[in-house]
Amino acid sequence: MAQWDRLCSLSAQYKQQLDELYDKDVLSMEVRHYLAVWIERQEWKRAAQDYNLAMVLYQNLLDNLDIQYSRFVHEVAFLQQHNIRRYKQNFQRYQDDPCLLASNILWYLEREKEILRNADLADQVHVLQIEQEAVEISSQQDLERKLLGLQNEVQCMEHAMCCLEEQQDEFDFKYQTFMMEAVTDEAVKKDQEKHFQVLINNVNACRKSVLADIGKHLDKTKEVIDLLVRKELVEWQRRQQKACIGAPVSVCLDQMEKWFTRVAACLIQVREFLGKLDELVGKVTYADDPIKLKKPGLQQKTDKLLHELIKSSFVVETQPTMPQGKGPLVLRTNVQFSVKTRLLVKFPELNNFMKVKVFMDREVPQIKGYRRFNVLGTAVKALNMAESQNGRMVADFRHLTLKEQKSGGGKGGSDISLSVMEELHIICFDTVFQYKDLSIPLQASSLPVVIISNSSQQQSAWASILWFNMISQDTKDVMFFANCPAATWPQFGEMLSWQFLAAADRGLAEEQLEMIARKLFGIKQDYNNCNVSWSKFSKDNPPDTFWVWFDGILVMVKTHLEDLWRNGHIMGFVSKGKEKLLLKKKQSGTFLLRFSESVIGGITFSWVETSPSGEPDVKSVQPFTQVYLKQIPFVEILRSFQILEAGNVPVNPLIYLYPNTPKDEAFGKYYSKESEENSPYIKYIKTKLVFVSKENRLEAVSPMSCDAAQGEGLEPIPGLCGEAAGEAAEQNGDDPLASSSLETFPHDPMLCEPTMYPDEDVPTSPALFFYPEALSELPEISFQELMSLSPQTCGSTF
């Protein structure tokens, strides 16, 4: 299929990208469409370097446009005639430089291929996901078939045991009778002995058959246990690790419990068969008795399989969690946490008989400064069906606390030293499986936890939990951070997306992840081979590390913007150059919402308007942080934001949410239904909420540089999370994010408070403020007065 035909068959998402690509006069979409076959057959790459070839292709292009024009004349398509004539006139500018035309067309063709590659990759990922789900379903179906086979075999062996017992009872009864009658007739005696020989041969054959069936059954049981313990359980543990850091995966153990219980029931029944064979040997035995020869080995194998199954069935179902923590596995000393263990072998007769004890791992690494802790609270609980839904065998510890050992703990050891955030600890659980004559010691372990002593450490501790569970599959590796591995970009990007998915039910789109990747690695064709180090994630450029910046956005979204994010109204992660390219193509009044790169936990909006010269002009406001969002919902800020046009006429420049949704249609359902008099955001004083700035003095008002070009702060300083690189760098092929800077303020402008002015004139500084409804005119101020104003407060335009 031709390249253009493939593009036209793509989904709406990629057609939108195509529409944005051809939203210029360099090469119109109509020309690309009508001349698609001819354009794709030419050697534009060579023509970009070969003047003669470029001139030939240029003339051929004009000839093809003439042919297309003639067709429209014949079809009486007046509008198409007009467009083709205009396009041909536009191409006249390449008469002196046809190589530039070839280079431009080549550029468009390459961008088209990128769109196709992205679409193909998305399709491949979708197919792989479907295939993976199909494989998982197929694997579980195969396991289910094997379990049914085991249960059927046990039933058959039970019948065979009954037959063996009947045969042996028949032989035993007849033989005992024969011995008591004391037959003297030799001929009769020989006939009876032959008959007894047949009977004992049948018993022997039946014994061999039963033993052989048990041996085969144990071999098949081992295969099933290997699938359960080494595959299904390991995969569940990995899913649990991912779920702890926000992955949308199932960690339900109900199906696993059914499988474990069925296998355990089969093995316990086999043990009963082996015990029955002992009883039969006690009644009748003989030389080379197969039971005496083979039963000990089968007994040992059965017990070994049962021990392996039972030991693996004791798990930590719910990892240690504080009620008010950022997530599981971050625990604070002297603060209660909960944790739940579960036995996957469910026998009702075990209820309340098994006691579980919780303690800290005693095998701690002998390294310098490594801390030790005691578990306080109710440290022993029974596995109790009553405390769970559906009668599960759980021990639910709800009120545990940790206390550090102060007497000499952690002194000495090796020269290795870990920070509190990199120090991992494991909580352990002991119990004994007691069932009939079985007694099997069991132990389960939590995933590694980070223990803090102050709530201010939660953010950094959670970063450690994210990093460990994203990368490590060794759930007991407490020395993980002593030689911390890097994360691949696919791992890292997926983890970042999970954080948003967990916070507001919507993960990160590919375009948003690409912006973050460019921030970390610069512009690359493929980020899959890029790695992110632990230092780059959480240690470089303290205190404003990458994680601090990213988590600040997460907290803001979760607390104030959850609905807007969930419904896709916030573009969020978009570079400055990309923002300008997107908005400049749109009608005046189109705006988008994005996260600040220089203000931690800030959100801003940018809009496009037509300048006096007729060119599109992109403007932005200083970011809003939680200081403001706690007082005024962001939708109310968008609803009432205004700028002053000529004549002091306040106008809201925000009309269409990108790409073209009317603002009230996008946000109307979130607006406060209260009247201004009863608004919960303005109490006691009859005021009106307005965001005002002198529209024609945006740059003169503040010493800060324009956000649409250089970022959101004052003088840029080197750092990870800045956004000083602008459109020029992006257009030149440089990465505006790879060398981005972290901007700072002489004072924190995001800590300012909105001021109420019920009886005074409106402040001259363009800012977010309130003014009384009775106030009808805003005072004019001179340019010199504007230049003498202090830096803008939150919400000001610049």
Side-chain angles (χ1 to χ4, degrees), residues 9 19 22 54 92 318 602 689:
S9 65
D19 179 64
Y22 281 99
Q92 297 295 332
T318 304
L689 177 64

Side-chain angles (χ1 to χ4, degrees), residues 680-698:
Y681 311 115
I682 306 175
K683 299 180 180 179
Y684 309 119
I685 303 175
K686 191 176 182 182
T687 57
K688 184 177 182 181
L689 177 64
V690 178
F691 304 78
V692 178
S693 181
K694 288 286 186 179
E695 195 274 339
N696 292 326
R697 302 175 181 174
L698 295 178

Side-chain angles (χ1 to χ4, degrees), residues 439-457:
S439 182
I440 306 174
L442 306 180
Q443 187 178 98
S445 302
S446 73
L447 292 171
V449 301
V450 174
I451 302 175
I452 61 177
S453 57
N454 192 291
S455 59
S456 63
Q457 298 172 312

Side-chain angles (χ1 to χ4, degrees), residues 478-508:
V478 295
M479 294 298 294
F480 174 82
F481 285 102
N483 186 21
C484 187
T488 65
W489 167 249
Q491 285 177 309
F492 188 74
E494 186 178 46
M495 181 272 288
L496 296 182
S497 182
W498 290 343
Q499 305 316 296
F500 272 88
L501 187 64
D505 296 330
R506 185 185 183 93
L508 298 178

Side-chain angles (χ1 to χ4, degrees), residues 32 96 137 293 315 427 502 692:
R32 177 67 178 95
D96 296 331
I137 293 174
L293 295 175
V315 298
I427 301 176
V692 178

